[in-house]
Amino acid sequence: MTDTPTAYRPAQIWLHWIVVIGVILQIGFNSAIVAVMDAREAGQAPAATDTTWAWAHVGIGSVILLAVLTRLYLRIRHGVPGHAPGTSPTQARIASLMHNALYALLLAMVVTGMLTWNGIAPLGGLHFALGTALFFAALAHAAAAIFNQFVRKDGTLARMIPALRK
């Protein structure tokens, strides 16, 4: 990869939004998987409805894993656009750090979830803590994108939402 792309590839954009939607859905399925894990720990049978939604949580987590790994592959293979014009070196470092943290948190969430669900390691507490960190990191990421798009007017958000492009 020698040239820096000027825009994200459509697959990169789609995968970004698949991960976003997946993470939002995971929040909704959280109570069901916690109920199943608590029932397992107590030696009881979980409610059938909880089990169904817990499996949805597991399935969506698997989709998130595949989407993140594919995004990382595309990032390495094809690169990503440089930072928006007018971005200071400090802002660029913070943005890069945030993107790396989001990837790391997403991967750590999937790994701790898989290890806990499969009874390999009781990492539910760590999974929850990572989820909290992911929530706030994603919130900061979204706020920065919105700020850059509408206050700095640098086109940041339009890179992931083509409809905003002029």
Side-chain angles (χ1 to χ4, degrees):
M1 172 86 226
T2 55
D3 295 327
T4 301
T6 58
Y8 286 100
R9 293 171 164 266
Q12 291 170 305
I13 295 169
W14 277 101
L15 290 166
H16 172 270
W17 292 110
I18 287 169
V19 170
V20 169
I21 292 166
V23 168
I24 291 168
L25 289 172
Q26 292 298 65
I27 294 167
F29 297 134
N30 182 61
S31 61
I33 200 158
V34 168
V36 169
M37 296 306 294
D38 288 347
R40 281 185 183 175
E41 191 174 301
Q44 300 171 349
T49 304
D50 286 338
T51 301
T52 300
W53 291 117
W55 276 110
H57 186 91
V58 171
I60 293 168
S62 299
V63 169
I64 290 171
L65 174 63
L66 292 173
V68 169
L69 292 175
T70 304
R71 284 193 70 198
L72 287 170
Y73 168 78
L74 292 172
R75 186 178 192 88
I76 292 165
R77 176 81 170 97
H78 301 290
V80 294
H83 296 285
T87 302
S88 75
T90 300
Q91 290 169 324
R93 279 192 296 277
I94 292 169
S96 294
L97 179 65
M98 179 59 75
H99 283 109
N100 291 335
L102 286 165
Y103 281 118
L105 286 166
L106 287 163
L107 291 172
M109 284 290 296
V110 173
V111 170
T112 58
M114 287 171 40
L115 291 172
T116 302
W117 178 253
N118 290 301
I120 297 168
L123 299 173
L126 177 58
H127 186 72
F128 179 80
L130 290 167
T132 302
L134 177 63
F135 174 80
F136 287 109
L139 195 62
H141 174 68
I146 291 166
F147 175 82
N148 286 328
Q149 178 69 28
F150 297 107
V151 176
R152 289 186 64 219
K153 298 186 186 307
D154 66 4
T156 293
L157 192 57
R159 293 164 18 139
M160 278 296 163
I161 304 176
L164 293 177
R165 293 182 190 150
K166 294 178 182 179

